[in-house]
Structure formats: structure tokens, C-alpha cells
Amino acid sequence: MKRYNPADIEPKWQQAWANDNLYAAKDFDKSRPKYVMLTEFPYPSGDGLHLGHVREYTLADIMARHRRMNGYNVLYPMGYDAFGLPTENYAIKNKIAPQMATDRNVANFQEQFESLGLSIDWSRSFRTTDPDYYKWTQWLFLQFFKAGLAYQEEIAINWCPHCKTGLANEEVISGRHERCDTLVEKKTLKQWLLKITKYADRLIDGLSDIDYPSRIADQQINWIGRSKGAEVDFKIEGHGASLKIFTTRPDTIFGATFMVLAPEHPLVKQITTDEQRAQVNTYIKAAAAKSDIERQNTDREKTGVFTGAHAINPANNERMPIWVADYVLAGYGTGAIMAVPAHDERDFAFANTHHLPVKPVVAPDFGEPRNDEIYVEGSMVVGYDPHTDKYLAIRWNDGRVWLAGGGKEAGETFEDAAWRELAEETGYKKAEAIIPLGVPVFSHYFNEVKKVARRSFSQGYLFILNSSEQPEAATEAHETFEPEWFNYEDLAESLRSTRGGVDHWLYTLDLAKKAAASHAKNELFEPGLLSGEGLLINSGDFNGLATSDVREKITQRLVNQSAAEERINYRLRDWIFSRQHYWGEPIPIIHCDEHGAVPVPDDQLPVMLPEVDHYEPTDTGESPLAAVESWVNTVCPMCGKPAKRETDTMPNWAGSSWYYLRYFDAHNDQAFADRQKLEYWGEVDLYLGGMEHTTLHLLYSRFWHQFLYDQGLVPTPEPYKARRGQGIVLAADGTKMSKSKGNVINPTEIIENGYGADALRLAIAFLAPYDQTTPWNPEGVTGTYRFLQRLWVLVQELIEVANDNADIDNKAAAAQPLLRATHQAIKKVSEDLYSMNFNTAVAALMEATNKLYKLRATVPLNVYRKDWQFALKSLTKLLAPFAPHIAEELWQELGQEGSVHVDPWPEWSEAYVTAENMKIVIQVNGKLRAEFEVTADTGEETIKQLALSHENIKKFTNGQAPKRIVYIPGRLVNIVI
């Protein structure tokens, strides 16, 4: 029997596919629907491809091959994103030119790509560093410049002291450079920026028309940070100036008790009094030495200094002190805030530290309103005995349990009412302490005793009592209810079972428990902040109105007073586009003393990088190009007078913002792409990439595309019809792969160790659901290699009996199990591929192969050769997207002509796939989390994979690899994490 040897099979077919140009997409093919399968093209580092690359490109290749076999004209291209800091740093370290480093790295990547057997159309490949490519990157930048969306400005930027370059906000993660993890600093430089903020609304609204999972769309929406609010003017006492504050919560303006300015705010020096100037200057100097990430740390002490000045609240004319504090940043909003400490954690912490007033203006609201309700104000009373850890309430003679309390009488305060109700309803008149339980609460409820609907406004109190002390007899209705002590759980459960004002009772009881704990520790009780919605209190004639309903009304009143304007604000800032490095696209601008910034004429593009001896960036913020006088010195295209080239280069994101369009017409020297080809290929149908690029490359490229659409340069408003993000592959121990840890897996080693690319591809697909981060399983390749051998043996056995001249007695009824197993596999794999459930598709292939092995005894190959031929041809086609080399070899072994990869995808018959279903329960750590149905003959491995990939289960596993999976046949799967 012929042996399966990947080392012989795989290079043979890779060469054959290349010779036949099998995977070349055809422009303007009207006979088939088009399908553009795109992956993020790689940065060609010296380390070569890693398993994360292999996962992304293999899964995309499976999709491309599947679509091709289903009759699509598939474009699956690949190029190299070769400009940027890593190559320049590598070149500096090794004292070689970045061009040479790029050539080496690309050659290595190309060899690895080819060894994986990817069905890429290499005829469309390019590098972003090719002058023929970056000519058009420069040309596109000039379209931004001519439209007024590219501009130069001196600003404080994120500066990486290690890489010695400026960074966009999106490249700073938790205060560090996303590439080298260095803590960034602030540096003021003249920079080029692109007005991405002009497209903020479009970038959000466009998401509604494309297929992006919520975890991707939400990241972009949150990063853009669109918020509607008011810009309010707070007049500064004794000055002609005002403080402009942007707030999304104008409904809380009555609760503002002080103002805070960022240390960099331009008004600080103007309004600071002479008495406070020395303190303020010292504080500003100290704040300048801190990074933004330090300043925003919510756990650190809230430092600040009083300016000596006061502002006037336009809502109530109250006088408020103005402070300077470094937790407010100049780059966000207006660099100043109105502090509402009762409803904001940072403001509350600051107020506590500096003994500033706290004024609540939002109260919770419970229940549903009724038309016949009566408004009452009163108190709710919870007694607590610290010796027994029990709570006092009242029990009615019909079993119902209430909190003590009632309405205020004329002239009473809330506390007066609480004391009175405590005595009347429980008999207790003395207390060790009384603690107010936060702000009063609103509640709508029906009082079943008095048969009246109420809208109450009630203040809760905790009374520290001693249950062993004999109370006086309750003076009110003691014949119908009695005081009773409960532990917390019993009281909470009793209140839940009582109809009426149960919601606000439970809320008050929960606060009482927290207050009791604070009292036991001799700590000040902090009830927590209500930062969400509610009803207004302490807000003048807006009292009792819902915060969500009153924002517009308060804003309009302030607008009418000329004290505010309606505004829409964004977290997003314009894209800092300058880099102070050599290895990037030169910005095609010439600076003329007479005409300013002048675009390089189209016929002078590309502006090519000069060859230089030194690539080291400078500490001054100047690009190394500034030292190349022969390149810098030029003439103005407008007047012919001496001028200088721009020496900053573009970020590495420039070339990747439009590269997908170049695949449609990769070698056009007259335009970035032919219009007719752009219209034929249209949007990218599916884009696969990493979640780490959601607010970087993905957002940037959508911005570029929308601008190009507005300029009439592309036919679609969005670049990508659908986007998916694959999970990260971790080391086997669950840690991140890194060279320093010595746990990086080289895919070439796996291939060359005898397993081959097909076994690696299958292992990657089988690893986990595509969007989950998962550890690498070294045993996985062994298992998939063994599976391929089993299928190989089956085909070889069929080939041997096919040469047998014995008579064949085909008995269709006996072949039913074989046909059923085949059609079920076709259906399962087909559906899984369309839904991108790669792991369960592989499980189905393995299960089908196991079934076929067992059926050899009851459905002999030599008797049912025709049915076995159908089964193994079908299984080979199903395998083809996953393991293309062995599938091609088996296809030929089965006597078929042409390539399996362009043969039609098999179809299933419903008559063979119907089977009795069984319900499987899924548990995570023993707790029921989901259930699903499968056919009664579904194998254990498939059921486990289906359980792992279930949408409800992903929320509870949170990307963690299970420690073990317990399967009780036909009943349940328990995933232990």
C-alpha cells in the first residue's frame, strides 16, 4: 500500500498550482459571483510567520477555497506592509539598510507562505515600500491636503522616548507605545494631522450598514466617543472671562459645588490670586512631570490646589471655588469641569480629600406611576442590633413584613418623622446612633392597608439599637402588627414576598447593611454614588422630574440665558500623521517662504527616500532626513524659488489604509486603481484580522475610504462588507508567546518535522472557535496527522479493490449507513463553513472518517465500490479547503481529472440527513448555562466542540481554555475552567 508522505506530496502540488496559475482571480468575470477574501497583510519582521499568522491566513484560505468550489470568482490576495519602526530599528541595530532588511524578511515570509499551501493570487502582490506603490500613497495624501483635511500645527503630542517619534492617540495603550511598550511623554512639535474628526459621525453611522460583530463595532463607537450635551459658561467672579464646560449631564448642574481646571488650562495664570500663586505654580510644575496615565489613575490620591478665584453657577447663581487638579486633562473636552461630587466618583474623592461640599441632586425612582396616586413625604426606618447582627422590622398579623416608617407631619423634618415612626411602630425610643441612608428615594406603590396609591419621597435611616432592651409598647396599631428581629437574608426574603413598596424597601435595607458594616468599623458611611438616571432633587423648579426628560429643558433655559450652547463632543482627536523617522513614505510637501506648504506636482511623484548612511532618529524631534541637504533643498513648484522638502515621514498606517484597493489593479502606473476594476470588485466581502487593530488600522482605513468615496474615487461608501476578528494563539501554558520566554512556535519546524502543512492547518482550524484566544496544543498536530493517515488508508484500500475483477453485487439497502454518514458530513461541514465554525467542521470530518472505518465490515469496499467511491470523493472535497495537498493527491488517486479545488462542492440529500435529535445540556463548572440539539448519531468530539463554540457559553468561558470537558453520552457536557 502506498504510504502517506507530506514531504513528497506538498511541494509537488504547490509547484503544480503555481505552474497552472490555479488561484488567479479573473477581472470582469460576469459568469460567476465575485468574492473578495481579505486578511490583514503582514509586517515582514525578521522572526518570520508565527502561529497567529498561520491561524489568520489558514482560516481565510479555508473560506476562499470553499467559496471557489461553490462557484465564486475568488480574489484572495497578499502583500507586505513593510514601512515602519521595527524594520528601521532592526536596520540600525544590525547596521544595514532598511531596504536590505525588508528584502530578507519578505523572502523568508514568502517561502513560509508558499509552504502552507495558501490559495493566494500572488500575481497581485506588492510591498508598501515599493516606489510604484507609495507613489499612490503620496498622491492620496495630497487629495486630503487639497481638500483641507491634511494640515500642519504645533501641538503637544505623544512622544516615545525609545523610538524617538510622535504617536497618534490610538497608538498609546494604557499610557504606553503599543509597539515597544515604552511609557510615552508629551512633546510639543509641529506635526501633520488628518481631520478624521470631520468623519466622526460617518464612522459611527456607517457601522449600521455593514456586518461587524458588536465587539468590533462597539470598540469603534466607544473610541470615537460621540456624546451630546451642553457647553456651559460659568462666569468668573471679578474677571471678564468665563469657564467653558462641556457636560453630557446638564441635569446635574444644580449639584455642582466647585470647578476644576487642568494645570495647562490657559485661564489658570489669569485668575489665580496673588495669595495662591506660589502654590499654584508649584503644583503646575509637579503635574508637568507626570504622564497622562499617572494623572488618570483612579486609585491615587486626588491632589489639587485652590486658585483663590470663584465661578458663578448659571443655574442657581451659587458661588463655587475654582481649583486646579491634574486628574483633569487639557486634551479632553475643554480642559475644565464642573464638579458634581454627589454623582461622580473622581469628584467625590476630590471633595472628600479637600473638604468641599457634596450636594445630591439625583434620587432613585422605584415602581410604576399610577393616575390616582397621592404624593407623600416620609421616612423609612431600619433598626439594627450589632450584638445579634439582626434587623428590626414589623410583621402584620396576616404574615406580611414591612419596614417601619410613615409620612411626615406638619413641621417635621425627615429625621423627626423617623424617630416618631420608630417609637409608634416598634416602641423603641433610644438609639446608640442614627445614620441617614444616602439621599431620599422616590417610589410608586399601592398601600394595601389604607387602600391608596402613593408616590412617596422617603428618607431611609439606620438606628443602632439593642434588642435586649425592653421597648415601650408601640402606640400605633399594635393589635395588627408587632416589631420583629430578623437576620438580613430572612428580612430581605420576607420583603420580597410582600406586595407594595418592596423595591425601595430592599434598596434601603441594602444600604442599611452597608451602613451597619461601616459603623462596626467605626468608619464614615459612604452610601455610594448614583451616577445613572433618577429624579431630580435640590434642583429648584425641576425637582421631581426625570433626569432623562429634563436635560433638554435645563439646557434650553441656559441657552435662553446666553449661558450655554448645545454641543456634540467627541473623544476622537485628529490623527497625528507625522513621524520623525527615515523608513516611511516622505510627505510630498514643499515648504516655500512665499507660498507656504505646496504639494509636490503629480508628475514628480513618487518623492523617493534618499539613500543615507545613518537612520538614527534624533532627540530633537527632527527626522534623519533633515540632515540630507541635497534631498531637502529643492525649488518651489509655484515660483521656482529655493524651498525645502518636508522631512517628516508618514506613519506605517498610511500604506495600510488603502492597500486592499491596490489588489484590484496592482500594477497600474496611471492610477491607484482602474475605475472599472474598482466597480467590478467593489467592497471586500470578508475581512479577517486581529482585534488589536480595531481602533487603529480598521478605523483609519474606513476613514480613508469614506473620504475617497466623497471625492468620487471609489464606488462604495465602506471598504469592508463584513469583518471578523480571530483570537490570539497563546503558548501551550496559556502565556503569551515571546522570544524572551523561548516559547515561540515556528510553523516551518512543524512542517519540516514530518507532519506537513495539511496537519498543521487542520490543527489550527480544530484548535478552538475562530474568535477565541486559545493556547496552542502541541498534541493537536499529532492527532490531525493521524486522522489524515486514516483517510489516506481508506482511499488506498478502495483503490486496491477497484482493481479486483470480481462481480459487484450492489445492494442499495445495505449501503444506506454509508450514504447517510456521507450526506450528514456534507451537510455539517457545509453549514459550519458558512458560519465559520471551523473547529466543529473538522470534528465532523473526523467523525465521518471514523464511521466509514467501522462500516467497512458491514458495507464491504469490494461489494459497494460505487457507493464507497461517492463517499470518499465527497469526503476528499470536504477536506480540500482544510488540507489542500492531500486532498489534491487523493483526488488524483481516485481517478479524477483536473483539480479538486475547482471541482463543484458536494451537495447533500435531505433524505439521508434526517435523524432523531437529542437535547444536550451544557454546564460550566457544574452550572447550567445553555442547551442545544444534535442528531442522535452525532459523535462525542463534535458535541464537545459545539458546546465550546456555543454563543452563550463563550460569555462564561471568557476565552479560557477548559481544564477538562466531561461528556455524559446523550445528556450533558460539563466544561471545567
Side-chain angles (χ1 to χ4, degrees):
M1 182 181 294
K2 186 177 177 182
R3 290 181 60 251
Y4 169 51
N5 186 358
D8 292 337
I9 293 172
E10 293 180 357
K12 177 182 79 172
W13 287 112
Q14 290 162 14
Q15 187 60 55
W17 297 330
N19 292 343
D20 295 341
N21 208 17
L22 187 66
Y23 304 122
K26 294 179 174 61
D27 295 322
F28 311 119
D29 184 349
K30 301 294 185 180
S31 65
R32 300 177 290 168
K34 67 88 185 177
Y35 193 85
V36 181
M37 179 69 242
L38 184 68
T39 59
E40 291 176 350
F41 61 166
Y43 193 95
S45 68
D47 299 328
L49 292 175
H50 53 66
L51 285 183
H53 289 124
V54 175
R55 190 181 198 190
E56 177 179 341
Y57 302 137
T58 296
L59 299 185
D61 188 56
I62 291 168
M63 297 292 290
R65 290 180 179 278
H66 176 238
R67 285 297 200 281
R68 204 176 280 117
M69 294 176 73
N70 275 278
Y72 286 83
N73 179 23
V74 174
L75 171 56
Y76 180 31
M78 189 63 64
Y80 295 99
D81 187 15
F83 271 132
L85 294 175
T87 296
E88 181 167 317
N89 292 339
Y90 177 85
I92 292 169
K93 181 180 179 180
N94 292 279
K95 301 186 186 308
I96 60 173
Q99 292 89 337
M100 184 180 298
T102 298
D103 288 343
R104 291 179 185 176
N105 296 341
V106 168
N108 183 34
F109 266 61
Q110 189 73 26
E111 185 177 341
Q112 288 183 296
F113 268 128
E114 292 171 0
S115 71
L116 287 168
L118 302 173
S119 61
I120 289 169
D121 181 355
W122 287 111
S123 69
R124 299 170 186 257
S125 186
F126 55 82
R127 309 176 194 178
T128 57
T129 54
D130 295 338
D132 288 345
Y133 179 84
Y134 72 72
K135 166 186 177 178
W136 297 108
T137 306
Q138 292 173 337
W139 185 85
L140 291 170
F141 170 84
L142 289 178
Q143 308 317 301
F144 283 99
F145 179 75
K146 293 170 184 177
L149 297 185
Y151 65 101
Q152 210 172 14
E153 186 175 279
E154 190 167 280
I155 58 169
I157 64 167
N158 305 302
W159 177 263
C160 177
H162 176 264
C163 298
K164 298 180 181 179
T165 193
L167 305 171
N169 291 333
E170 292 81 6
E171 294 174 288
V172 180
I173 308 298
S174 299
R176 296 179 179 275
H177 185 184
E178 56 97 21
R179 283 194 178 272
C180 68
D181 203 39
T182 301
L183 197 66
V184 303
E185 302 171 352
K186 288 294 183 183
K187 196 180 189 80
T188 300
L189 289 174
K190 198 169 188 180
Q191 298 286 279
W192 282 97
L193 298 96
L194 295 185
K195 287 187 180 178
I196 191 172
T197 51
K198 186 175 180 181
Y199 281 76
D201 288 330
R202 288 265 297 277
L203 289 168
I204 292 175
D205 298 341
L207 291 167
S208 62
D209 298 324
I210 50 183
D211 178 13
Y212 282 24
S214 59
R215 66 178 188 147
I216 295 176
D218 289 350
Q219 272 196 31
Q220 294 207 348
I221 292 169
N222 293 337
W223 182 257
I224 295 166
R226 179 169 64 190
S227 54
K228 184 179 180 182
E231 189 174 85
V232 185
D233 287 337
F234 289 76
K235 291 181 179 179
I236 302 173
E237 193 177 64
H239 294 269
S242 296
L243 282 177
K244 289 188 179 296
I245 306 296
F246 176 80
T247 177
T248 60
R249 294 294 304 269
D251 49 295
T252 65
I253 192 170
F254 288 89
T257 58
F258 59 97
M259 314 293 288
V260 186
L261 305 185
E264 304 87 352
H265 196 287
L267 284 179
V268 171
K269 293 181 180 179
Q270 179 182 334
I271 67 173
T272 298
T273 62
D274 292 339
E275 294 81 3
Q276 295 296 111
R277 194 169 305 282
Q279 291 184 53
V280 170
N281 288 342
T282 300
Y283 186 83
I284 290 173
K285 188 178 293 184
K290 298 176 183 176
S291 68
D292 284 359
I293 192 66
E294 288 179 278
R295 289 170 59 173
Q296 293 179 90
N297 184 350
T298 56
D299 296 329
R300 72 182 185 90
E301 182 184 0
K302 294 296 182 289
T303 62
V305 61
F306 178 40
T307 65
H310 290 79
I312 304 301
N313 189 331
N316 53 19
N317 291 319
E318 289 184 358
R319 190 168 176 260
M320 300 183 298
I322 303 173
W323 286 67
V324 174
D326 60 12
Y327 77 89
V328 177
L329 302 179
Y332 289 88
T334 62
I337 66 166
M338 65 175 198
V340 185
H343 305 290
D344 181 273
E345 288 186 6
R346 295 181 312 162
D347 296 345
F348 181 76
F350 191 88
N352 267 356
T353 301
H354 300 284
H355 309 292
L356 294 165
V358 178
K359 179 183 176 183
V361 291
V362 181
D365 185 28
F366 298 99
E368 295 296 327
R370 289 175 44 148
N371 294 330
D372 57 345
E373 62 190 10
I374 299 172
Y375 177 76
V376 295
E377 292 185 355
S379 296
M380 293 175 287
V381 176
V382 181
Y384 175 70
D385 183 353
H387 305 99
T388 61
D389 192 28
K390 290 193 173 182
Y391 296 83
L392 180 66
I394 58 174
R395 184 186 291 278
W396 291 75
N397 57 11
D398 62 3
R400 289 174 299 166
V401 175
W402 286 11
L403 293 185
K408 288 195 303 178
E409 294 183 354
E412 281 188 329
T413 64
F414 283 114
E415 187 171 325
D416 293 338
W419 277 108
R420 178 176 52 77
E421 294 290 350
L422 177 72
E424 290 179 350
E425 296 190 349
T426 72
Y428 285 89
K429 293 185 177 180
K430 296 179 182 179
E432 179 184 326
I434 177 172
I435 304 172
L437 299 175
V439 300
V441 302
F442 289 92
S443 181
H444 306 270
Y445 67 96
F446 187 78
N447 186 314
E448 294 187 356
V449 174
K450 298 185 178 181
K451 304 301 181 183
V452 62
R454 284 181 171 175
R455 180 181 185 238
S456 72
F457 183 56
S458 305
Q459 173 68 58
Y461 291 93
L462 176 70
F463 284 81
I464 305 298
L465 305 172
N466 188 334
S467 60
S468 64
E469 292 182 357
Q470 183 65 37
E472 296 182 15
T475 59
E476 182 183 288
H478 61 275
E479 71 279 3
T480 55
F481 62 76
E482 294 289 342
E484 184 174 335
W485 290 91
F486 300 81
N487 63 39
Y488 173 81
E489 291 77 13
D490 288 345
L491 179 53
E493 185 57 38
S494 297
L495 291 175
R496 287 190 195 97
S497 63
T498 299
R499 291 178 297 169
V502 62
D503 291 334
H504 72 282
W505 282 341
L506 289 170
Y507 174 80
T508 301
L509 178 61
D510 182 57
L511 289 177
K513 183 179 181 182
K514 293 176 182 176
S518 297
H519 179 77
K521 298 176 184 177
N522 200 27
E523 295 176 348
L524 179 69
F525 169 56
E526 295 181 0
L529 305 176
L530 183 64
S531 57
E533 305 292 353
L535 300 183
L536 286 183
I537 59 175
N538 299 322
S539 299
D541 53 0
F542 294 102
N543 282 344
L545 300 179
T547 52
S548 57
D549 296 335
V550 84
R551 288 187 192 116
E552 292 289 339
K553 295 177 182 178
I554 291 179
T555 299
Q556 191 57 53
R557 177 178 291 185
L558 294 171
V559 169
N560 293 340
Q561 296 171 359
S562 300
E565 293 182 12
E566 289 187 287
R567 284 276 188 270
I568 293 178
N569 206 19
Y570 302 90
R571 180 178 184 267
L572 183 69
R573 293 293 178 263
D574 279 346
W575 176 7
I576 299 171
F577 204 68
S578 292
R579 295 297 180 270
Q580 294 70 43
H581 271 254
Y582 169 77
W583 194 232
E585 300 92 336
I587 293 177
I589 294 292
I590 293 172
H591 296 282
C592 172
D593 290 340
E594 183 175 342
H595 295 100
V598 179
V600 172
D602 290 357
D603 60 4
Q604 294 180 25
L605 298 177
V607 177
M608 295 180 63
L609 285 168
E611 293 188 11
V612 298
D613 295 326
H614 299 287
Y615 311 101
E616 290 87 345
T618 65
D619 291 311
T620 64
E622 273 196 311
S623 164
L625 291 174
V628 188
E629 293 186 3
S630 60
W631 183 84
V632 173
N633 293 324
T634 185
V635 296
C636 173
M638 294 183 69
C639 64
K641 294 179 181 178
K644 294 185 180 295
R645 294 190 187 279
E646 173 60 58
T647 58
D648 278 356
T649 53
M650 299 186 199
N652 60 299
W653 309 106
S656 64
S657 289
W658 71 280
Y659 76 106
Y660 55 96
L661 297 169
R662 190 64 173 174
Y663 288 139
F664 301 158
D665 195 10
H667 308 296
N668 192 329
D669 61 359
Q670 300 301 309
F672 69 92
D674 176 76
R675 178 71 188 199
Q676 289 183 309
K677 292 181 180 178
L678 289 170
E679 288 177 353
Y680 171 73
W681 291 109
E683 291 175 304
V684 170
D685 291 280
L686 178 62
Y687 193 14
L688 194 62
M691 286 297 296
E692 69 275 14
H693 290 155
T694 299
T695 56
L696 286 160
H697 155 67
L698 192 61
L699 191 65
Y700 293 157
S701 61
R702 289 186 61 227
F703 162 51
W704 274 53
H705 193 94
Q706 288 180 1
F707 168 74
L708 297 181
Y709 180 74
D710 288 349
Q711 298 296 306
L713 297 172
V714 294
T716 63
E718 286 283 345
Y720 319 117
K721 186 180 296 184
R723 167 77 176 192
R724 297 292 183 269
Q726 86 280 355
I728 298 169
V729 180
L730 303 172
D733 61 0
T735 61
K736 187 175 181 179
M737 291 189 188
S738 69
K739 288 190 294 182
S740 61
K741 292 182 179 179
N743 60 2
V744 175
I745 306 295
N746 187 334
T748 302
E749 292 178 3
I750 296 174
I751 293 171
E752 293 179 351
N753 280 345
Y755 292 112
D758 285 341
L760 173 59
R761 289 168 58 108
L762 275 169
I764 281 286
F766 189 54
L767 195 58
Y770 79 93
D771 57 351
Q772 286 190 12
T773 292
T774 183
W776 172 245
N777 179 10
E779 302 300 319
V781 181
T782 305
T784 53
Y785 179 75
R786 190 162 51 245
F787 156 66
L788 292 175
Q789 283 184 313
R790 285 168 63 80
L791 184 59
W792 176 272
V793 168
L794 268 178
V795 172
Q796 299 308 313
E797 289 180 352
L798 179 64
I799 292 169
E800 288 181 358
V801 300
N803 296 323
D804 183 358
N805 291 322
D807 291 335
I808 299 173
D809 181 16
N810 249 342
K811 297 177 181 177
Q816 289 298 305
L818 176 64
L819 297 175
R820 180 178 295 277
T822 303
H823 284 278
Q824 287 175 346
I826 295 171
K827 184 176 190 291
K828 184 72 176 79
V829 174
S830 300
E831 291 175 345
D832 281 352
L833 282 177
Y834 275 111
S835 57
M836 295 182 67
N837 291 321
F838 304 103
N839 56 327
T840 55
V842 174
L845 285 169
M846 293 176 172
E847 183 182 337
T849 301
N850 290 338
K851 287 180 180 178
L852 265 58
Y853 254 81
K854 294 175 182 177
L855 287 170
R856 291 179 303 170
T858 55
V859 188
L861 278 82
N862 63 332
V863 177
Y864 300 95
R865 287 188 296 205
K866 183 178 179 181
D867 294 320
W868 275 99
Q869 182 84 358
F870 165 75
L872 291 175
K873 280 172 56 181
S874 299
L875 211 57
T876 299
K877 286 186 180 183
L878 299 180
L879 180 67
F882 301 89
H885 307 90
I886 188 174
E888 194 77 285
E889 185 75 9
L890 292 177
W891 190 246
Q892 304 300 317
E893 294 271 309
L894 288 167
Q896 305 306 302
E897 295 183 358
S899 172
V900 67
H901 300 297
V902 293
D903 208 74
W905 188 255
E907 297 181 359
W908 72 86
S909 168
E910 285 293 341
Y912 288 107
V913 299
T914 54
E916 184 180 347
N917 289 347
M918 58 183 179
K919 183 178 290 186
I920 303 295
V921 168
I922 315 175
Q923 297 177 340
V924 178
N925 288 345
K927 293 184 178 180
L928 176 63
R929 297 303 188 189
E931 59 183 36
F932 64 102
E933 285 191 355
V934 293
T935 56
D937 56 353
T938 304
E940 177 179 343
E941 196 58 50
T942 300
I943 289 173
K944 288 179 179 179
Q945 291 294 330
L946 285 169
L948 281 173
S949 59
H950 195 287
E951 285 300 320
N952 287 345
I953 296 305
K954 290 179 185 179
K955 296 184 293 187
F956 296 100
T957 58
N958 198 25
Q960 299 179 62
K963 291 182 179 179
R964 64 181 184 278
I965 302 175
V966 179
Y967 174 58
I968 299 178
R971 291 177 57 195
L972 70 83
V973 175
N974 183 27
I975 300 167
V976 182
I977 58 173

